[in-house]
Amino acid sequence: MAGLHLIEHPLIQHKISLLRDKNTGVKEFRELTSETAMLICYEATRDLPLKEVEITTPLAVAKTKIISGRKLAIVPILRAGLGMIEGVTSLVPAAKIGHLGIFRDGENNAVQYYCKLPEDISERDVIAIDPMLATGSTAVHAIDKIKEYGVKNIKFMCIIASPEGLDKLMTAHPDIDIYCGVKDLGLNEEKYIIPGLGDAGDRIFGTK
Ligand code: URA
């Protein structure tokens, strides 16, 4: 069943605590973002279909399993989603990568400024990634866009989500699975997640 998957693994919770710490520097923040993304991706790929194959070991023929079915595409939402790419592709190295650039204007409307997706994306399952699900408007726009390309199976992965963002995304796209490390308290007036971790893009790229 589609819906929210809160991944409460101790390693994820530990790394999120370090990400929240305002004293965590750029290098460590970047590494932690990637590692946390990898751990959440491990759960998000738990239902990948398998097929049985025969492999010859040095001693015998083994009936064993490999991943089969549709291939994956990963779509980071710029710019903070880029910080999760390395961790995700360390688990699914053959996945193709698309890019969606979306920002929120003063009225909280999602405005797309860049879109470059794999040509065969309609034949792939897609995981859209953004570390922070705040108001949900960017995520909703991203999923709208990916659906426009004919993609049927979409997942959304984030590290921290607000209740408002989750409500908005699940209402607009009840058919998608959302994988998230923690659900926080809510948004402040500037639409930052509280307690959150601040601006993920600035902390990943060291721009502030
Ligand atoms: N984007 C961020 O990077 N942080 C937030 O708290 C909300 C949106």
Side-chain angles (χ1 to χ4, degrees):
M1 246 243 317
L4 174 63
H5 306 258
L6 268 182
I7 318 294
E8 287 165 341
H9 191 289
L11 289 173
I12 296 177
Q13 299 311 308
H14 181 82
K15 287 178 193 299
I16 291 175
S17 298
L18 299 175
L19 283 167
R20 289 190 192 281
D21 188 337
K22 67 176 185 175
N23 295 315
T24 298
V26 174
K27 175 178 180 287
E28 199 188 350
F29 192 92
R30 206 178 281 150
E31 289 165 358
L32 286 163
T33 302
S34 179
E35 290 162 5
T36 308
M38 181 188 67
L39 292 166
I40 297 174
C41 182
Y42 177 80
E43 288 298 329
T45 49
R46 187 175 276 285
D47 62 352
L48 287 183
L50 293 167
K51 70 176 177 195
E52 199 162 275
V53 292
E54 285 190 352
I55 301 274
T56 307
T57 78
L59 299 176
V61 174
K63 279 197 192 318
T64 185
K65 289 173 183 164
I66 58 169
I67 290 168
S68 74
R70 294 161 81 82
K71 294 192 162 53
L72 278 179
I74 312 298
V75 179
I77 300 172
L78 306 183
R79 93 189 133 134
L82 292 175
M84 299 169 78
I85 272 290
E86 198 181 316
V88 169
T89 54
S90 67
L91 294 189
V92 283
K96 288 192 175 174
I97 300 172
H99 293 86
L100 266 180
I102 302 169
F103 69 88
R104 271 187 282 129
D105 69 12
E107 268 103 54
N108 195 35
N109 301 307
V111 182
Q112 183 188 303
Y113 62 91
Y114 188 76
C115 175
K116 187 83 181 168
L117 301 174
E119 272 180 359
D120 61 353
I121 196 160
S122 65
E123 292 148 38
R124 290 177 176 262
D125 293 342
V126 170
I127 306 178
I129 57 177
D130 192 346
M132 308 299 275
L133 176 61
T135 67
S137 52
T138 303
V140 168
H141 182 98
I143 307 299
D144 285 344
K145 191 77 197 168
I146 293 165
K147 282 185 176 173
E148 266 175 45
Y149 280 75
V151 178
K152 295 281 174 306
N153 186 3
I154 304 173
K155 293 174 177 172
F156 181 83
M157 253 180 65
C158 61
I159 295 177
I160 301 183
S162 73
E164 297 90 328
L166 285 169
D167 276 355
K168 185 158 182 159
L169 184 53
M170 289 194 287
T171 304
H173 295 293
D175 54 317
I176 71 164
D177 280 294
I178 303 169
Y179 295 84
C180 165
V182 66
K183 178 173 165 177
D184 266 7
L185 298 177
L187 300 173
N188 70 7
E189 280 180 2
E190 279 108 55
K191 310 294 183 200
Y192 279 96
I193 299 177
I194 300 297
L197 48 69
D199 188 302
D202 281 338
R203 296 196 65 190
I204 291 165
F205 297 107
T207 36
K208 252 193 197 143

